[in-house]
Structure formats: C-alpha cells, structure tokens
Amino acid sequence: MGGRRRRTGRPAPDPLRTSLVHQDVRDEHPQGTATGDIATVSAPTPVGIGGLDVADFQDIARRYAAAIPGAALVGFPSAAHLIAMDAPTELLAALEPFLRREASRRGGSGAYR
C-alpha cells in the first residue's frame, strides 16, 4: 500500500475515498442563505473547501464564506472533507500567511509558534 504517508508513518487516507464514504448526505442540508449567528462572526475567517468533497458540503462552505463578513474561501483541490488529513501541507501553506497577517494587524510579531 504505497502513496502518501502521514507523520505517523501510516498511509494517508485517499481523499476520493473519504469523499465517497459520505455521499449519502447529499441534499440533507438546507439550501439557501446561511442563517443564525454566523453573520455575527467578527473574527477574520478562512473557510476551507475541499475540491473532492461532496457537493452539499462544498455548497455549505461557499454559503458560510458569503455569510461571514470578510471571510475568505480557500480551495484545496486535492482534499475531500477532512482537509487537515487530506492536504496538510496545503493547509499549512494557507494558514501560515493568514496567521502572520493577523498577528501583524493586531500589533504582534507574527510569531505564533
């Protein structure tokens, strides 16, 4: 069983398999505008969207990004639903500049490690 490996040495999950496992949730989520407290989020928010995730979850990510003031939709083409597991390097590459910008904006050094 070749392929990608996690830091634990075990093979990383196949993103397509991860996505296909959850296909039965299609059309179970409300469509339309996100409601509730989501529009009150005031923190800068990156919203991840896995390119291999099921359509409903991609739609939810898009709606969250649209409803949260100032949110940014960040795409991960090689990931399904579990972005941190499917695309850890890409996630880190997206989060590091975001966290540095936010630390700098708040008057910090940008060091968060």
Side-chain angles (χ1 to χ4, degrees):
M1 186 189 289
R4 302 175 307 158
R5 295 212 170 261
R6 293 191 255 177
R7 290 183 189 160
T8 62
R10 294 189 316 248
D14 176 18
L16 184 58
R17 183 177 164 271
T18 302
S19 178
L20 293 175
V21 166
H22 301 288
Q23 274 195 341
D24 61 329
V25 298
R26 187 172 294 264
D27 297 325
E28 288 185 12
H29 300 282
Q31 306 297 312
T33 306
T35 59
D37 295 331
I38 196 164
T40 66
V41 173
S42 61
T45 307
V47 177
I49 183 170
L52 301 176
D53 206 349
V54 295
D56 279 5
F57 289 151
Q58 290 180 357
D59 180 57
I60 290 168
R62 287 184 192 95
R63 288 187 289 134
Y64 279 9
I68 297 170
L73 187 64
V74 182
F76 297 91
S78 66
H81 190 67
L82 303 174
I83 294 168
M85 290 178 67
D86 293 341
T89 303
E90 294 85 351
L91 177 61
L92 184 60
L95 287 179
E96 278 186 324
F98 170 78
L99 293 172
R100 289 188 200 290
R101 269 192 315 274
E102 286 310 304
S104 175
R105 188 177 69 81
R106 295 173 184 253
S109 66
Y112 56 90
R113 293 183 180 187

